[in-house]
Structures are given as structure tokens and as C-alpha cells.
Amino acid sequence: MTSLDKPTEETSADDARAVTEAALFEAFGGVRGMVETVVPGLLFVTIYTINKDLHLSAIAALAVSLVLVVVRLVMRDTVKHAFSGVFGVAFGVVFAMMTGNAKDFYLPGMLYTLGLGLAYIVTTLCGVPLIGLILGPVFKENLSWRTRNPGRKKAYAKASYAWGAILLAKCAILFPLYWWADTTQLGWVLVALKIPPFLLAVWLTWVFLAKAPAPIDVFAEMEAEEKAAQEREREAAARSAEQ
């Protein structure tokens, strides 16, 4: 190895890490996505802690979710994370209003977390890690990692197990509180557990993927194949014209 090789390899590794960071940031919504996830629940538990008014708390949480969507629409930004927040809050409002129990505002989100945690584990056991299905299109590799990039598939499996374990651990804390704690206690614990477990899971995903082989850009491959096919057609047409 020459003295010039090492900087090149380091630069390549740095580029790979930067690409991984950017892809994770895009896939999971970044700082703004986290804020949009936390604010409705935080507003609900704050208002309910102050006046114990279920209807006012629920309406305020739903209203702020809608405002966040409108802001993204006005700014012509991606709305998928904000819309998912609206649906989550809407289901919580419906549950709470139907039962009259303020704790049920959190139940749909808790059930979703439980289901998602199990999905990460089960899909990995089946050989199709969920995190790979989520991030594959972001990295422009689609499902190529399943058969053509075993090192990357292993990294996705580790990341999916990490996500599953973290989400199930979160559920192990929240569901007992749902049964035994009051609404404000459950709400504040849930708000406190919104960001730290998420950041831990994203960081572990970054660690696993940063050490994994680079993704195979299947879109670039398809474009190259298309250009090659067009070139062959032009060459065939040229030969026919000469004859």
C-alpha cells in the first residue's frame, strides 16, 4: 500500500458514512420529524395535567398536528412524517373519546410500537429484515442486499434486531404504566421515552451500516444497461445501413 492509498480509502469511508447519515436523516425525518412526533403528546399531557379536561387536551393535540402538516404544505416540504403524526393523534383522540378514559389517547401509539417491535424481530427471523425494506429504496439498492450483498444483509439484520429490542423494551415500561399509573404519569413517561430510544436505534443502525459493504445502486445499473442496449441498437442499425 502506498502513502497515497490510505487517504483515498479514508476518504471513501468518510463518504460512505456521510451517505449513510444523510439516508438515515431522510428516512426517519431528522430533527424536525422528532419534534413533530413529540409536540402533540406533550401538549396533550401538559393541558391534561393542568385542568384534567380530556376534550380540550385531545382537540389541542389534534389541532397542533394539523398545523404541523399545514406548515409543511406551505413550505412544500415532505409531509409523510407529519401526516403519520396526524393519523396517530386522530386514532388516539377517537379511542379516548369513545372510552372516556384519557389514558386511551396513548393506547393506539403503544399498540403500534408493540406491533412494530415484533415486526422487526419476525421479519429478521424470516430473512427479510424490516430495516432493509425501509432503507433499501433510500440507498437506491432496493432488495439487492438480500442476494447480492450478504455483508449488508447482515448489517440490516443487526439493525432490525436492535430496533425490535429497543421498541419491545419501551413497551415493557409503558404497558404496566397503562394499567397501574394515572394519565399524567403515563403521559410524561411516554413523552420522555419518545426521543432517547429512537436516537439510540438510529445510532446503532448507523454504526452497523457504516461498517457494512457499500450499497449496490440498482438504479445506476439499470441506467447503464439501458444505455448499453441503446448503443447496441445504434451499432446494429449502423451495420444494417452499411449493408
Side-chain angles (χ1 to χ4, degrees):
M1 180 182 294
T2 68
S3 60
L4 295 177
D5 292 330
K6 188 173 181 180
T8 301
E9 292 177 0
E10 290 178 351
T11 301
S12 178
D14 290 340
D15 290 343
R17 284 192 288 269
V19 170
T20 300
E21 290 173 6
L24 291 175
F25 193 87
E26 176 185 343
F28 297 115
V31 174
R32 187 172 181 179
M34 288 188 291
V35 171
E36 292 172 343
T37 300
V38 172
V39 168
L42 177 60
L43 185 60
F44 178 90
V45 71
T46 300
I47 295 176
Y48 192 82
T49 299
I50 295 172
N51 59 21
K52 308 299 181 187
D53 189 328
L54 169 60
H55 290 79
L56 178 60
S57 302
I59 292 172
L62 184 58
V64 75
S65 296
L66 292 172
V67 168
L68 292 173
V69 171
V70 171
V71 169
R72 279 190 177 266
L73 289 173
V74 170
M75 298 179 66
R76 297 182 180 179
D77 202 351
T78 303
V79 297
K80 61 181 180 180
H81 299 289
F83 267 127
S84 64
V86 168
F87 287 127
V89 172
F91 277 117
V93 169
V94 170
F95 268 65
M97 293 296 188
M98 288 177 60
T99 64
N101 183 355
K103 284 195 290 187
D104 287 340
F105 173 79
Y106 303 109
L107 187 57
M110 291 167 58
L111 292 173
Y112 173 77
T113 300
L114 176 61
L116 187 59
L118 292 173
Y120 276 115
I121 301 297
V122 172
T123 55
T124 306
L125 291 174
C126 292
V128 192
L130 181 58
I131 198 71
L133 299 178
I134 295 171
L135 294 180
V138 178
F139 284 111
K140 300 180 181 180
E141 60 183 333
N142 286 348
L143 296 178
S144 63
W145 51 267
R146 287 196 63 200
T147 55
R148 300 173 58 192
N149 204 337
R152 197 156 182 86
K153 180 179 179 180
K154 185 177 180 180
Y156 280 139
K158 290 180 179 179
S160 290
Y161 278 132
W163 276 90
I166 290 169
L167 293 179
L168 293 179
K170 182 177 175 180
C171 290
I173 296 172
L174 294 177
F175 276 96
L177 289 176
Y178 175 80
W179 296 109
W180 301 327
D182 61 30
T183 301
T184 55
Q185 291 171 332
L186 173 62
W188 287 113
V189 171
L190 197 147
V191 169
L193 290 179
K194 277 285 186 180
I195 293 180
F198 172 80
L199 290 179
L200 175 59
V202 171
W203 178 75
L204 288 174
T205 302
W206 178 83
V207 169
F208 295 138
L209 292 182
K211 297 178 180 179
I216 299 171
D217 191 337
V218 295
F219 295 104
E221 287 183 343
M222 288 188 291
E223 290 177 359
E225 291 175 1
E226 184 178 351
K227 289 180 180 179
Q230 292 174 349
E231 184 63 26
R232 287 193 296 269
E233 290 177 359
R234 282 195 294 267
E235 291 176 357
R239 285 194 297 269
S240 299
E242 291 175 355
Q243 295 174 357

